[in-house]
Amino acid sequence: QVQLREFGGGLAQTGESLRLSCVASGNNFRLGEMGWYRQAPGKQREWVTTISRGGRPTYVDSVKGRFTISRDNDKDTVYLQMNSLDSEDTAVYYCFAYPDAYGYPSWGQGTQVTVSS
């Protein structure tokens, strides 16, 4: 089982930026797709972005042009650069990672991002 730990959440003002990191450990296999979900207060968890092992990203429409996902396969780490934040981005952000071959995803514990105007 892979352990995922997120870093970088916190408080930001509207228009500011935050960078999240998610580090995987405990895996003796390569990781495949990695990415982020988020859950705002009173709402269902929402997929935000995914990046393939080869670096191909996909995004939910609401963050396109503002968020950038990247990864470092040597460090088993995925990053989320969030720019032009607004109050709609306030949520707990969870990272996930799939094994490269097959299997179920692992999840982090989540990190709170709060954007105030």
Side-chain angles (χ1 to χ4, degrees):
Q1 185 70 13
V2 179
Q3 288 80 50
L4 300 176
R5 185 175 179 185
E6 299 102 337
F7 300 88
L11 179 65
Q13 301 288 324
T14 299
E16 292 185 339
S17 300
L18 285 174
R19 188 188 193 215
L20 305 183
S21 302
C22 175
V23 182
S25 63
N27 53 301
N28 57 0
F29 48 82
R30 297 200 320 175
L31 296 177
E33 289 188 338
M34 301 180 75
W36 299 86
Y37 275 71
R38 66 185 179 185
Q39 187 165 18
K43 295 186 178 180
Q44 291 187 331
R45 191 174 291 194
E46 170 192 40
W47 170 76
V48 178
T49 179
T50 299
I51 187 167
S52 69
R53 182 170 179 83
R56 181 174 61 88
T58 52
Y59 302 94
V60 67
D61 285 347
S62 60
V63 308
K64 285 180 181 177
R66 300 189 300 120
F67 290 11
T68 302
I69 189 170
S70 60
R71 66 188 288 169
D72 184 332
N73 290 332
D74 290 337
K75 297 180 179 179
D76 281 341
T77 300
V78 63
Y79 306 94
L80 184 62
Q81 178 66 42
M82 304 184 294
N83 298 331
S84 301
L85 286 164
D86 62 38
S87 59
E88 295 295 310
D89 299 314
T90 294
V92 177
Y93 284 71
Y94 300 89
C95 74
F96 66 89
Y98 280 87
D100 191 28
Y102 60 90
Y104 296 100
S106 297
W107 292 89
Q109 293 296 309
T111 185
Q112 177 71 47
V113 171
T114 302
V115 184
S116 64
S117 58

